[in-house]
């Protein structure tokens, strides 16, 4: 099997597996929080699964949960399938665009979204909040991970530079503020805002 190439959405390669280097750096820290926030059983819907490396890792860390990866990018779904091949509790990836008014799934017991909000239009985050609100029952968690801005907390210079580079690539992209996301999450309450390695945050919302 060839070495997977770095994950670049929209670019295909000879190997179906794509590689997002950040997954190897953050997956253990995220898993530690998921152990405290995910239900003991049920279905976890992952939005914007990207390469699929997180799905493959988390599904094996939480064998009592069914893992439903998703991504609107066909190459991503191909990569997800390749990474998750043979993992019994991972379902075939769904074609879900977070910004779509309706998702191709009716219910989940938790929703997880890693590193999407800042590399997509604000409409995608609004769609994520709306879609998660429609599929989650009361009390279920919506978990977001990534770099965020936070009122009253100095932003790391590296995150400021990252934000600038994102907006230069696409004016609709950029770091979102915790306050803006929380205000838009009208079906949820923010239970936890946790500092994570590499100047990231993990937000845990609870469905009202």
């Amino acid at each position: 099997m060839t070495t997977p190439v770095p994950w670049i959405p929209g670019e295909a390669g000879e190997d179906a597996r794509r590689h997002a280097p950040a997954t190897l750096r953050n997956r253990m820290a995220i898993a530690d929080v998921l152990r405290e926030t995910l239900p003991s059983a049920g279905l976890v819907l992952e939005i914007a699964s990207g390469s699929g490396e997180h799905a493959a890792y988390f599904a094996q860390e939480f064998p009592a949960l069914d893992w439903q990866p998703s991504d609107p990018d066909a190459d991503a779904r191909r990569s997800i399938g390749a990474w998750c091949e043979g993992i019994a509790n991972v379902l075939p990836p769904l074609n879900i665009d977070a910004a779509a008014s309706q998702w191709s799934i009716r219910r989940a017991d938790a929703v997880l979204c890693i590193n999407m909000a800042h590399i997509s239009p604000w409409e995608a985050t609004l769609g994520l909040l709306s879609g998660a609100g429609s599929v989650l029952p009361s009390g279920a968690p919506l978990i977001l991970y990534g770099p965020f801005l936070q009122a009253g907390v100095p932003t790391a210079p590296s995150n400021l530079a990252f934000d600038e580079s994102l907006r230069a690539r696409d004016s609709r992209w950029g770091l979102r503020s915790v306050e803006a996301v929380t205000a838009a999450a009208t079906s949820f309450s923010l239970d936890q805002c946790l500092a994570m390695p590499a100047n990231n945050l993990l937000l845990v919302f609870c469905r009202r």
Side-chain angles (χ1 to χ4, degrees), residues 78-167:
R78 194 164 66 101
S79 179
I80 294 164
W83 279 110
C84 296
E85 183 177 2
I87 304 176
N89 59 323
V90 179
L91 301 171
L94 295 176
N95 179 3
I96 295 179
D97 182 345
S101 59
Q102 291 188 337
W103 291 358
S104 56
I105 185 171
R106 294 188 175 183
R107 180 186 165 89
D109 298 290
V111 172
L112 173 67
C113 185
I114 297 172
N115 284 334
M116 182 201 82
H118 58 288
I119 53 172
S120 59
W122 176 239
E123 288 74 20
T125 296
L126 295 178
L128 169 66
L129 299 172
S130 175
S134 70
V135 301
L136 290 174
S138 177
L142 164 63
I143 304 161
L144 310 185
Y145 172 91
F148 291 92
L149 305 174
Q150 191 174 15
V153 179
T155 302
S158 59
N159 276 359
L160 290 174
F162 185 38
D163 181 58
E164 184 177 350
S165 70
L166 288 171
R167 295 180 188 277

